[in-house]
């Protein structure tokens, strides 16, 4: 528990259009992180606190792996960081870990950058002896990330794209329905955009399949202190940062959740626009 | 000697019309001359009741005499013996319910009590201007961990460092200070004052590790393996919600979130800082404590046209500090007494449009001795609102407690610790502040910290003596 760590980043890479990855030096977090948990980071003194899922951890090197999609100011600024740069703040691992055990046959569905959050769960469920079927979905071929890694950790892997540029053309829920009509699945996970998770839940419900989703509401402290990330689960208020982020999909009040995600759209656009102008002026 | 003034020497303040638009401090502080004049009002009682009513028992007549004698350095030394955060306590303590309440001068009909808080603030602010640093003590008496960097944790760490302990504070957020950093707004407690106080504690040799969530980043077993003792002061930071229909609408905040965005994340300075905060036009704040006042006055400063505080009891029961209530009224905050929200109303986009309330009347006194509010049927009405802030109290933060089930809790879910010694059910682990008492005041949390520092010192000294005896055999 020595001196305060410098959160130095390394192995910065672009994974896909608008999707980036790096590893961060954080020995304490690396030694504790479990599948399903996340960190909160802050780039600099003026920065906001941003939650990101821990994709992987290398205990020996004392590093954690983070993947993010550029959707606004902070993620755009993160994408500009290079090997050797450091983050101002990094707290974690936060949230409850996924309950890893042998469920039997499991179905894992990941969409877009959500695949990054799904991958550690795929890996751990496989290690725990499950028969793992994974479905990855994205708009097009070049947005499918971690396909090789997921394939290695799965017994079956299916890829779905909106435009048919990789795997099959269609939505992840199409693949789910197909699998569920001819195979018995004991448990399911879906991680991706909120609308995708909602429809995965509806699909799973049709087959009476219990499904876990990993919610990604707006967060500030991430330690249960503010209630910004509150979600309605079966009519009671839960904080995604400490009670989740995983919940049973059938218990999530989806419309409220999706609506709350858009709370700061205007401010987010303003902030991102300001960064883009600065970048242009500096160019 | 001039005639003793009947009233407290007034402190300069920003004009309400100006300050309602900025986050700068409202009260501007005494000059040394004003301080000396106010100090001359003190009767220098032999059996000073003010000392007994200060939770950290500052020698109040002593430091006031030093101000009067124009020896600010001595005044600071006296306060510093008792308090590690005088610039903060001088500003946010409810002196009217503590030291100033029992001031003998104030007990006589014509006189107001001595402005003890304002004088304490003067001395502390004066000390920031001086270059002399507290000399760091050699830290060789043992290692103590402090979980939580709020007022209680900072106090215990400061005292232990002064005694010669190597002390490490583990703080979950990116900044220490606890409620001083995320809760109390700049206009009451400027953040550079908090930073300076924290720096003074660091100068004593205290190591503050931010971004460490004990129970997650490290666990209590690791803490106990490395340290001789531990003090848990994680506060009561989990917001409570009314749980009425519509709580999930956009625009409905817990005060904890609203104030964290404003204070810790500097949301009022968006987009210079990245964290946005909604600036509603019509804001309803629910509650009657200091947190409600802070939320209402912050909303006004963010540009709200109308801010209404909705409180289920009447003005007489308002738990907030009187001074803050008057400040809020001067700034144009409106009050709806004997009113309780029963539903949030929203539009098709999930945005808050109004708060449906019901009028209350006061019935028989409850356990706390206050008259219980009872709804008047048929009195429902709607307050137009695009933002609502619930400031109805906080509970224990579960993150550490859930990860550490060995620790005994009381039936409210707070840590069961001895009031006299701060000892918990586990030897070597002490606890104090809001995580023991439930949400209370900064100064009470500091008082617990002072008590704990002494007890921790006794405990570690005894344990080490025992170990030495053991090794001789």
């Amino acid at each position: 528990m020595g001196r305060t760590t410098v959160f130095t980043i390394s192995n910065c890479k672009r994974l896909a259009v608008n999707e980036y990855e790096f590893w961060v030096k954080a020995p304490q977090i690396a030694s504790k992180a479990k599948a399903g948990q996340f960190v909160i980071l802050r780039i600099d003194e003026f920065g906001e606190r941003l939650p990101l899922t821990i994709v992987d951890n290398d205990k020996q090197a004392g590093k954690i792996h983070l993947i993010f999609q550029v959707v606004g100011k902070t993620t755009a600024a993160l994408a500009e960081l290079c090997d050797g740069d450091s983050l101002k703040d990094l707290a974690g691992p936060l949230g409850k870990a996924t309950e890893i055990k042998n469920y039997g046959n499991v179905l894992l569905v990941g969409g877009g950058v959500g695949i990054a959050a799904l991958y550690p769960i795929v890996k751990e469920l496989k290690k725990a002896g499950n028969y793992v079927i994974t479905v990855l979905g994205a708009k097009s071929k070049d947005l499918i990330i971690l396909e090789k890694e997921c394939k290695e950790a799965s017994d079956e892997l299916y890829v779905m794209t909106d435009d048919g540029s990789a795997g099959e053309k269609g939505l992840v829920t199409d693949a789910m329905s197909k699998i569920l009509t001819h195979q018995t699945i004991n448990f399911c996970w879906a991680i991706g955009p909120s609308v995708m998770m909602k429809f995965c839940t509806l699909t799973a419900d049709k087959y009476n399949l219990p499904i876990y989703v990993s919610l990604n509401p707006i967060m500030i402290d991430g330690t249960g202190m503010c209630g910004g990330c509150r979600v309605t689960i079966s009519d009671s208020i839960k904080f995604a940062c400490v009670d989740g982020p995983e919940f049973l999909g059938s218990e999530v009040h989806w419309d409220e959740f999706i609506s709350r995600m858009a709370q700061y759209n205007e401010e987010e656009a303003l902030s991102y626009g300001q960064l883009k102008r600065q970048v242009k002026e500096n160019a | 000697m001039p005639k003793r003034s009947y009233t407290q020497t007034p402190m300069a303040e920003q004009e309400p019309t100006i300050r309602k638009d900025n986050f700068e401090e409202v009260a501007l502080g005494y000059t040394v001359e004003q301080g000396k004049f106010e100090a001359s009002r003190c009767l220098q009682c032999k059996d000073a009741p003010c000392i007994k009513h200060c939770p950290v028992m500052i020698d109040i007549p002593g430091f006031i005499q030093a101000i009067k004698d124009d020896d600010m350095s001595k005044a600071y030394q006296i306060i510093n013996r008792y308090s590690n955060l005088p610039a903060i306590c001088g500003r946010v303590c409810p002196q009217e319910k503590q030291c100033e309440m029992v001031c003998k001068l104030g007990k006589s009909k014509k006189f107001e009590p001595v402005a003890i808080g304002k004088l304490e603030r003067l001395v502390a602010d004066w000390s920031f201007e001086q270059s002399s640093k507290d000399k760091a003590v050699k830290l060789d008496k043992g290692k103590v961990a402090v979980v939580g960097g709020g007022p209680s944790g900072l106090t215990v760490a400061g005292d232990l460092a002064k005694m010669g302990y190597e002390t490490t504070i583990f703080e979950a957020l990116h900044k220490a200070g606890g409620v001083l950093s995320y809760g109390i707004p700049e206009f009451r407690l400027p953040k550079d004052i908090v930073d300076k106080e924290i720096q003074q504690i660091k100068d004593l040799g205290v190591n503050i590790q931010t971004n460490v969530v004990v129970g997650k980043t490290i666990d209590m077993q690791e803490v106990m393996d490395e340290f001789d003792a531990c003090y848990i002061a994680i506060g009561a930071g989990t917001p409570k919600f009314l749980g009425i229909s519509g709580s999930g609408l956009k625009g409905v905040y817990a005060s904890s979130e609203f104030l964290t965005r404003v204070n810790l994340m500097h949301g009022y300075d968006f987009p210079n800082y990245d964290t946005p905060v909604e600036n509603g036009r019509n804001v309803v704040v629910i509650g009657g404590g200091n947190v409600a006042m802070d939320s209402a006055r912050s909303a006004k400063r963010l540009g709200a046209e109308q801010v209404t505080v909705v409180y289920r009891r009447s003005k007489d029961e308002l738990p907030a500090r009187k001074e803050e209530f008057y400040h809020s009224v001067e700034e144009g905050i409106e009050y709806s007494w004997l009113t309780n929200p029963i539903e949030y109303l929203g539009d098709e986009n999930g945005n808050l449009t109004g708060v449906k309330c019901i009028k209350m009347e006061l019935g028989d006194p409850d356990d706390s001795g206050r008259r219980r509010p009872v709804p008047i049927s048929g009195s429902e009405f709607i307050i137009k609102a695009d933002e609502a802030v619930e400031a109805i109290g906080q509970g224990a933060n579960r993150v550490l407690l859930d990860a550490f089930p060995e620790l005994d809790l009381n039936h409210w879910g707070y840590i069961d610790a001895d009031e006299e010694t701060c000892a918990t059910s586990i030897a070597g682990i002490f606890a104090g502040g809001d995580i023991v008492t439930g949400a209370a005041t900064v100064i009470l949390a500091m008082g617990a910290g002072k008590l704990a520092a002494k007890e921790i010192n006794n405990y570690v000294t005894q344990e080490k003596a025992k170990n030495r005896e053991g090794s001789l055999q």
Side-chain angles (χ1 to χ4, degrees):
Chain A
M1 271 174 264
R3 305 297 303 178
T4 307
T5 322
V6 177
F7 306 109
T8 312
I9 65 171
S10 57
N11 308 79
C12 296
K13 240 192 282 175
R14 200 183 85 153
L15 273 181
V17 183
N18 271 341
E19 287 178 27
Y20 297 79
E21 66 171 343
F22 53 62
W23 287 75
V24 197
K25 184 102 181 159
Q28 288 175 331
I29 303 175
S31 75
K32 287 280 186 343
K34 292 200 175 75
Q37 291 188 300
F38 65 95
V39 289
I40 292 229
L41 65 82
R42 205 166 68 115
I43 298 180
D44 59 31
E45 206 46 59
F46 296 91
E48 63 182 335
R49 293 170 66 92
L50 176 83
L52 285 179
T53 303
I54 303 165
V55 182
D56 207 346
N57 52 330
D58 181 339
K59 286 183 193 182
Q60 228 131 52
K63 289 177 177 181
I64 60 166
H65 188 197
L66 301 177
I67 293 179
F68 58 95
Q69 184 178 15
V70 173
V71 290
K73 181 181 176 180
T74 299
T75 43
L78 270 187
E80 293 296 315
L81 297 181
C82 305
D83 288 10
D85 286 343
S86 57
L87 303 171
K88 179 92 173 64
D89 298 293
L90 187 68
L94 302 170
K96 292 209 164 99
T98 304
E99 201 184 331
I100 302 292
K101 61 178 184 187
N102 194 335
Y103 294 87
N105 296 339
V106 291
L107 174 61
L108 291 113
V109 186
V113 75
I115 297 169
L118 188 81
Y119 168 63
I121 303 173
V122 173
K123 209 168 63 170
E124 292 305 314
L125 284 172
K126 180 67 196 164
K127 266 194 220 159
N130 290 280
Y131 185 81
V132 178
I133 305 175
T134 304
V135 175
L136 305 180
K139 282 203 179 93
S140 62
K141 185 181 180 213
D142 44 358
L143 289 170
I144 297 284
I145 54 169
L146 300 173
E147 185 181 347
K148 193 171 81 56
E149 289 84 349
C150 286
K151 192 163 191 170
E152 271 168 28
S154 308
D155 294 285
E156 298 175 35
L157 180 102
Y158 302 93
V159 171
M160 302 295 289
T161 49
D162 292 0
D163 61 1
S165 55
E168 244 182 88
K169 185 173 170 166
L171 300 170
V172 290
T173 44
D174 299 334
M176 278 179 78
S177 298
K178 222 182 219 178
I179 293 162
L180 292 171
T181 47
H182 69 266
Q183 242 164 316
T184 307
I185 302 290
N186 302 99
F187 238 99
C188 181
W189 275 259
I191 307 180
S194 42
V195 176
M196 184 204 97
M197 292 192 286
K198 176 184 170 179
F199 281 94
C200 288
T201 300
L202 295 176
T203 306
D205 283 353
K206 262 190 247 167
Y207 295 88
N208 284 322
L209 169 65
I211 181 170
Y212 273 123
V213 294
S214 179
L215 298 184
N216 53 340
I218 294 171
M219 283 187 191
I220 303 100
D221 67 285
T223 61
M225 295 268 295
C226 82
C229 67
R230 69 189 185 275
V231 286
T232 306
I233 303 294
S234 272
D235 293 328
S236 68
I237 294 176
K238 298 280 180 195
F239 294 177
C241 70
V242 290
D243 300 317
E246 272 178 32
F247 295 100
L248 283 170
S250 53
E251 295 187 344
V252 175
H253 189 319
W254 285 105
D255 294 341
E256 178 190 290
F257 175 71
I258 291 167
S259 161
R260 284 181 65 81
M261 297 279 284
Q263 189 160 8
Y264 292 99
N265 278 358
E266 268 176 50
E267 289 86 351
E268 283 161 12
L270 176 77
S271 192
Y272 196 11
Q274 193 190 41
L275 176 76
K276 284 178 184 163
R277 271 197 309 282
Q278 278 167 2
V279 171
K280 220 184 239 172
E281 279 162 24
N282 293 339
Chain B
M1 154 133 191
K3 194 165 166 276
R4 203 170 256 122
S5 164
Y6 291 136
T7 55
Q8 288 190 353
T9 311
M11 183 179 276
E13 288 181 352
Q14 271 197 78
E15 285 299 320
T17 49
I18 295 168
R19 73 179 194 239
K20 71 173 177 50
D21 295 321
N22 69 51
F23 274 84
E24 282 152 40
E25 193 169 21
V26 168
L28 300 172
Y30 279 160
T31 61
V32 174
E33 278 314 304
Q34 285 170 327
K36 278 166 70 179
F37 185 70
E38 180 63 23
S40 71
R41 295 178 68 235
C42 175
L43 299 170
Q44 291 293 320
C45 311
K46 282 261 152 25
D47 175 27
C50 51
I51 299 179
K52 290 189 209 79
H53 280 75
C54 166
V56 298
M57 302 203 25
I58 295 176
D59 174 9
I60 292 166
F63 91 79
I64 290 182
Q65 183 64 43
I67 297 175
K68 198 175 149 191
D69 296 344
D70 208 9
D71 190 348
M72 292 296 277
S73 168
K74 186 176 171 196
Y76 178 70
Q77 280 165 18
I78 294 171
I79 294 177
N80 194 238
R81 245 178 259 151
Y82 305 89
S83 172
N84 291 327
L85 306 164
I88 290 163
C89 286
R91 285 171 166 84
V92 302
C93 272
Q95 289 100 4
E96 68 276 13
K97 292 177 190 160
Q98 295 172 338
C99 55
E100 293 180 22
M101 182 177 79
V102 295
C103 171
K104 280 191 187 164
L105 182 67
K107 291 284 171 198
S108 63
K109 266 186 196 150
K110 286 183 186 163
F111 289 88
E112 286 181 357
V114 176
I116 300 166
K118 294 183 173 81
L119 289 172
E120 181 187 20
R121 169 189 163 150
L122 167 70
V123 175
D125 287 358
W126 172 89
S127 80
F128 291 142
E129 311 296 319
Q130 315 308 310
S131 54
S132 67
K133 286 258 178 328
D134 285 323
K135 237 189 270 157
V137 184
K138 201 171 160 211
L139 307 176
D140 57 1
K141 284 187 69 179
K143 289 178 77 176
V144 179
V146 176
V147 186
S152 201
L154 289 169
T155 300
V156 87
D159 275 16
L160 287 167
K162 285 179 195 169
M163 290 178 202
Y165 285 89
E166 191 184 327
T167 312
T168 301
I169 295 179
F170 296 110
E171 166 59 48
L173 292 173
H174 59 257
K175 196 175 168 197
V179 74
L180 310 171
S181 290
Y182 70 75
I184 305 174
E186 297 254 8
F187 54 81
R188 280 215 289 143
L189 181 62
K191 296 308 148 218
D192 66 323
I193 298 286
V194 178
D195 293 344
K196 282 178 191 166
E197 291 278 45
I198 291 172
Q199 189 55 50
Q200 296 209 339
I201 286 177
K202 282 185 182 168
D203 290 342
L204 294 168
V206 173
N207 171 19
I208 301 182
Q209 292 198 15
T210 53
N211 297 309
V212 177
V213 187
V214 177
K216 294 282 184 186
T217 315
I218 55 174
D219 55 44
M220 281 303 292
Q221 192 53 55
E222 290 170 281
V223 171
M224 291 314 291
D225 287 347
E226 187 176 331
F227 294 89
D228 298 314
C230 173
Y231 181 64
I232 300 176
I234 52 175
T238 305
K240 289 178 182 161
F241 284 90
L242 285 168
I244 57 176
S245 160
S247 298
L249 289 165
K250 287 179 278 183
V252 179
Y253 283 104
S255 55
S256 319
E257 181 191 352
F258 181 69
L259 291 174
T260 299
R261 284 178 178 273
V262 172
N263 298 322
L264 180 70
M265 307 311 296
H266 299 265
Y268 63 88
D269 199 8
F270 176 86
N272 290 327
Y273 284 81
D274 291 340
T275 306
V277 60
E278 215 158 294
N279 33 5
R281 281 181 171 202
N282 298 296
V283 181
V284 168
V285 175
I286 299 137
N290 289 319
V291 178
M293 304 295 110
D294 287 344
S295 302
R297 297 171 70 198
S298 295
K300 193 80 187 177
R301 284 163 169 78
L302 288 166
E305 284 161 21
Q306 172 142 10
V307 181
T308 311
V309 174
V310 164
Y311 181 51
R312 64 198 179 117
R313 292 185 157 101
S314 69
K315 191 175 156 184
D316 296 335
E317 286 87 14
L318 198 72
R321 290 192 68 191
K322 284 279 174 297
E323 186 182 335
E324 306 309 326
F325 168 67
Y326 291 130
H327 277 148
S328 75
V329 171
E330 283 176 350
E331 289 162 16
I333 309 294
E334 287 170 48
Y335 285 80
S336 182
W337 306 112
L338 291 162
T339 303
N340 212 23
I342 49 174
E343 186 186 353
Y344 294 114
L345 308 170
D347 63 16
E348 64 280 8
N349 297 319
N351 292 308
L352 180 74
T353 56
V355 183
K356 192 176 187 182
C357 299
I358 191 162
K359 286 307 253 181
M360 312 288 277
E361 59 189 349
L362 292 178
D364 297 330
D366 62 14
D367 297 342
S368 74
R370 294 186 300 179
R371 294 175 66 192
R372 191 194 301 272
V374 187
I376 304 170
S377 64
S379 68
E380 292 88 348
F381 67 106
I382 291 167
I383 305 176
K384 190 179 145 191
D386 50 5
E387 184 177 321
V389 181
E390 291 192 8
I392 57 161
Q394 294 100 239
N397 194 328
R398 302 288 326 168
V399 172
L400 172 61
L401 304 183
D402 286 349
F404 191 42
E406 297 87 345
L407 196 63
D408 285 356
L409 306 182
N410 61 27
H411 66 273
W412 294 284
Y414 296 111
I415 295 176
D416 193 8
D418 189 313
E419 234 176 272
E420 303 292 314
T421 64
C422 295
T424 67
S425 57
I426 298 174
I429 297 182
F430 298 79
D434 286 3
I435 191 56
V436 171
T437 58
T441 59
V442 168
I443 187 72
L444 283 175
M446 286 184 51
K450 292 210 82 75
L451 203 63
K454 276 190 203 142
E455 294 295 330
I456 289 170
N457 179 34
N458 290 342
Y459 169 83
V460 176
T461 311
Q462 281 165 16
E463 285 298 303
K464 295 214 158 172
K466 260 192 242 165
N467 288 343
R468 261 196 306 279
E469 278 167 28
S471 65
L472 286 174
Q473 283 165 0

